[in-house]
Amino acid sequence: MPESRCLQGIWSSPWIFIFAASGSAVGLGNIWKFPYVLGENGGGAFLVVYCLCLLLVGLPVLIAEVALGRTVRSNPIDTVNDLSERRIVHPAWVLVPWLAGITGFLILTFYSVIAGWSIAYLDRAITGGFDNITQVGASSMFNELLATPSEMLLWHSVFMVLVVLTVGQSVTRGLSAVVRILLPVLVVTLLLLACYSMMIGNMSEALNFMFRWSWQNITFDVVLAAVGLALFSLSVGMGAMFAYGAYMSKRMSIARACSIVVGVDLLVALLAGLVIFPLVFSFDIDVQAGSSLTFVSLPIIFGNLLGGQFFAGVFFLLLVVAALTSAISMLELFVAWLHEKFYIARLKAALLMGMAVWFVGIAVLLSLNHWDSKLMFGLNLFELLDKFTSLILLPVGAILLSVLVAWFIPRPMLQNEMITKQANHFQWWYKTLKYISIPAMIVITLAGWIGV
Ligand code: TRP
């Protein structure tokens, strides 16, 4: 008997899920965000906490999302609606997928602006804009970009058009071909760049910074940042992986597939760190520079490297594609829902959502220059959205989703999904989710908020 499938189709081979989910996970979060959050939070200590968060929180929550998606083969909103109609869960749970969808939407509004910076840098890279650039030159190039809303608007719009066109297609068809080639190329390019960066930069200080453990550096803020980044980087807490799970073949073990995704995600983040930090230390760039870290340090390597123009072009092109494969997963929840519930064509649904994101994105990019007023807690709109989504919405979404799966969805439903002929990871996963991931997320999130 053919297996049941979702209206959006099914991945053409079991392995494609791994590529698609890794495509969603690997994005600006790994290459842009991971190094700067590591820098802001003191290096090695953060890395250890981050790995623990990936294993004990990220992985179980990822499995929970994917398993629920595959069990019901529908979009998150209809799924919870259906469960509540069948009186399996309370109707109030319907708020959770809505919250998840809104989180994705909000993340995309600033994600697209940063992806726009990547396109702007791709443009500079191919036109030789980094040639012999100095550190001062690189900083002012980035600051100039932030001060020019018209250019940011152009690239933000280009990126959103790409997102809409890609999400408008069926993800189960278009995406897989791209990701299958992209991911290996990305890893190899990063590896080459990391070797080069360690050769010309200050390798020992970078390794010392990234891998040296020290207790004093661990505070609740660090732990909260690590949980937030782990969830962000694995794309969990907002239903994107839920949707991808719905298109996954039954032949694949969920636990195994998700472990591979976590491994790839961590590998790419570490490689990005190894590219950036040797330069940061040898050029005396402030490790705490925040969101500008990547965009200031990378042009310096490329501008002073033999064949740098070529490498720069490849690198920023990959960054844009990696951002694109992540961005589409943020819109997938609402697009799949509009398509399944109201029979709106995918392209139309994508256009509708994309336009809304584009509008809010304009306010976000203006908050970096003309409207650079501190809205709350001394943060502008851009910073506020970044912090609000990764420190509040994602953890809350992930907690609620995990509680739903661990405590309210009937156990046999999940057990069927997790126990395959080849593997039985159910008990291990179920207990970790219930007794480690959920309590840890609750304690860490609350403690982070009240500023322990
Ligand atoms: N994981 C992506 C990155 O690292 C970002 C992303 C894609 C995401 N989909 C998401 C983050 C869903 C949170 C939720 O860049």
Side-chain angles (χ1 to χ4, degrees):
M1 195 179 78
E3 63 180 297
S4 70
R5 46 192 290 161
C6 164
L7 206 64
Q8 316 289 335
I10 207 155
W11 303 114
S12 52
S13 109
W15 277 90
I16 300 292
F17 168 81
I18 296 185
F19 280 101
S22 305
S24 165
V26 171
L28 297 171
N30 306 61
I31 298 168
W32 161 75
K33 201 168 180 180
F34 173 80
Y36 94 72
V37 177
L38 188 76
E40 281 180 340
N41 289 286
F46 175 84
L47 185 61
V48 173
V49 180
Y50 180 67
C51 290
L52 283 177
C53 290
L54 278 182
L55 269 185
L56 296 177
V57 177
L59 180 61
V61 179
L62 177 62
I63 294 176
E65 264 199 39
V66 174
L68 187 58
R70 195 169 77 173
T71 315
V72 290
R73 294 245 184 262
S74 176
N75 66 75
I77 298 177
D78 283 341
T79 297
V80 184
N81 265 332
D82 183 56
L83 290 172
S84 87
E85 272 161 24
R86 286 156 54 195
R87 302 194 180 273
I88 297 176
V89 301
H90 190 275
W93 281 105
V94 176
L95 287 177
V96 177
W98 275 100
L99 178 79
I102 292 168
T103 310
F105 179 94
L106 288 179
I107 291 179
L108 189 52
T109 59
F110 69 89
Y111 202 85
S112 165
V113 173
I114 306 160
W117 301 346
S118 316
I119 309 184
Y121 269 59
L122 173 61
D123 178 50
R124 287 167 176 63
I126 17 190
T127 50
F130 303 148
D131 287 350
N132 299 322
I133 203 165
T134 57
Q135 197 221 318
V136 178
S139 306
S140 65
M141 178 188 276
F142 185 64
N143 290 334
E144 257 164 47
L145 175 64
L146 295 193
T148 321
S150 53
E151 190 185 355
M152 282 197 285
L153 177 62
L154 169 70
W155 301 126
H156 161 61
S157 313
V158 168
F159 186 74
M160 281 314 296
V161 169
L162 291 175
V163 172
V164 167
L165 290 179
T166 325
V167 188
Q169 310 285 316
S170 140
V171 281
T172 48
R173 262 182 278 134
L175 173 68
S176 47
V178 181
V179 189
R180 216 173 352 186
I181 302 168
L182 164 88
L183 262 184
V185 179
L186 181 72
V187 171
V188 173
T189 313
L190 278 175
L191 200 68
L192 290 177
L193 285 175
C195 292
Y196 189 78
S197 165
M198 286 195 273
M199 264 157 49
I200 64 165
N202 190 339
M203 176 168 86
S204 59
E205 205 164 327
L207 293 178
N208 200 5
F209 175 74
M210 282 178 70
F211 298 107
R212 214 179 79 188
W213 160 262
S214 78
W215 271 111
Q216 303 91 302
N217 287 344
I218 299 195
T219 59
F220 257 112
D221 280 347
V222 169
V223 183
L224 182 65
V227 173
L229 185 63
L231 297 175
F232 184 90
S233 187
L234 289 178
S235 310
V236 290
M238 51 143 282
M241 291 297 188
F242 185 120
Y244 281 11
Y247 318 146
M248 183 182 184
S249 154
K250 291 265 186 211
R251 279 181 288 154
M252 189 91 202
S253 146
I254 294 181
R256 192 170 301 159
C258 291
S259 309
I260 299 176
V261 173
V262 173
V264 172
D265 191 61
L266 180 63
L267 176 73
V268 174
L270 286 176
L271 284 177
L274 289 175
V275 174
I276 288 163
F277 285 110
L279 294 167
V280 164
F281 287 111
S282 80
F283 286 89
D284 251 345
I285 299 171
D286 179 13
V287 267
Q288 304 225 343
S291 55
S292 65
L293 196 62
T294 313
F295 288 93
V296 174
S297 57
L298 283 179
I300 304 176
I301 339 184
F302 295 130
N304 297 288
L305 166 78
L306 193 67
Q309 193 167 342
F310 172 75
F311 269 117
V314 174
F315 178 84
F316 282 106
L317 182 64
L318 287 172
L319 189 58
V320 174
V321 184
L324 185 65
T325 56
S326 298
I328 55 177
S329 69
M330 299 179 198
L331 276 193
E332 182 60 22
L333 186 150
F334 277 137
V335 171
W337 176 66
L338 288 170
H339 181 62
E340 287 170 19
K341 175 102 183 165
F342 302 104
Y343 304 105
I344 299 180
R346 278 189 67 103
L347 189 59
K348 237 192 220 163
L351 196 64
L352 211 71
M353 296 306 304
M355 287 204 337
V357 171
W358 180 74
F359 264 115
V360 182
I362 296 178
V364 173
L365 66 87
L366 285 173
S367 80
L368 295 167
N369 35 67
H370 293 320
W371 292 348
D372 188 10
S373 50
K374 308 294 176 209
L375 292 177
M376 253 186 264
F377 314 114
L379 303 173
N380 62 28
L381 180 65
F382 176 87
E383 297 157 336
L384 205 61
L385 278 171
D386 179 9
K387 298 266 187 271
F388 182 62
T389 48
S390 63
L391 303 184
I392 300 178
L393 289 180
L394 280 179
V396 170
I399 291 170
L400 291 175
L401 227 129
S402 312
V403 169
L404 175 69
V405 171
W407 299 97
F408 293 92
I409 302 288
R411 201 177 143 127
M413 231 165 123
L414 297 163
Q415 225 157 354
N416 277 344
E417 238 12 268
M418 291 285 296
I419 300 181
T420 61
K421 275 197 214 88
Q422 313 88 26
N424 179 2
H425 304 285
F426 181 76
Q427 284 300 339
W428 169 87
W429 161 71
Y430 203 58
K431 291 218 168 86
T432 316
L433 182 67
K434 256 188 174 167
Y435 302 115
I436 300 181
S437 317
I438 296 176
M441 282 191 288
I442 295 178
V443 171
I444 295 166
T445 310
L446 289 180
W449 290 353
I450 51 180
V452 178

